């Protein structure tokens, strides 16, 4: 593993954890739930909630884009740094050679 892959892996881990936290912090779109719980609908509370929800919405979008970019970068790096024929470079014996050796051992 190269240093770039390690850095991107750490960034991916951080982005995924932050994305999960930001999504969990968002409130649902349930209308009228404040009436049931006795919450006061003042002008200040409505605008405060909107700005907080707007911030969480923007943060979710940015972290999701960052997550996708890091995943794509890791896949591109893995594609171009990994040998194309990993099985052939690891073991150069062919299947026919293995079968021939097995048949020869069985014949003895």
């Amino acid at each position: 593993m190269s240093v770039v892959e390690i850095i991107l892996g750490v960034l991916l881990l951080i982005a995924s954890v932050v994305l999960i936290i930001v999504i969990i912090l968002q409130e649902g779109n349930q209308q009228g739930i404040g009436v049931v719980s006795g919450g006061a609908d003042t002008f200040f509370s409505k605008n405060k909630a909107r700005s907080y929800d707007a911030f969480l919405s923007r943060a979710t979008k940015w972290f999701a884009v960052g997550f996708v970019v890091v995943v794509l970068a890791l896949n591109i790096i893995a594609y171009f740094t990994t040998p194309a024929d990993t099985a052939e470079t690891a073991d150069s014996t062919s299947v026919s050679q293995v079968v021939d050796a097995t048949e020869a051992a069985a014949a003895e």
Side-chain angles (χ1 to χ4, degrees):
M1 260 185 128
S2 70
V3 176
V4 175
E5 289 175 323
I6 292 172
I7 291 172
L8 287 175
V10 170
L11 285 176
L12 183 66
L13 181 66
I14 291 170
S16 61
V17 169
V18 171
L19 188 60
I20 290 169
I21 291 170
V22 169
I23 290 173
I24 289 174
L25 287 175
Q26 290 182 4
E27 292 185 20
N29 291 334
Q30 299 175 350
Q31 299 293 329
I33 197 71
V35 174
V36 175
S37 63
D41 289 333
T42 64
F43 180 74
F44 179 70
S45 68
K46 285 184 180 181
N47 288 335
K48 181 180 176 184
R50 282 189 194 147
S51 64
Y52 182 68
D53 289 338
F55 169 75
L56 289 176
S57 177
R58 282 192 306 268
T60 302
K61 290 173 189 172
W62 282 108
F63 280 109
V65 167
F67 180 83
V68 170
V69 168
V70 171
V71 167
L72 288 175
L74 279 171
N75 282 320
I76 290 170
I77 289 171
Y79 178 77
F80 286 114
T81 58
T82 306
D85 298 328
T86 315
E88 290 181 16
T89 57
D91 186 16
S92 62
T93 57
S94 67
V95 174
S96 62
Q97 290 173 341
V98 172
V99 170
D100 292 340
T102 307
E103 289 174 353
E108 294 176 357

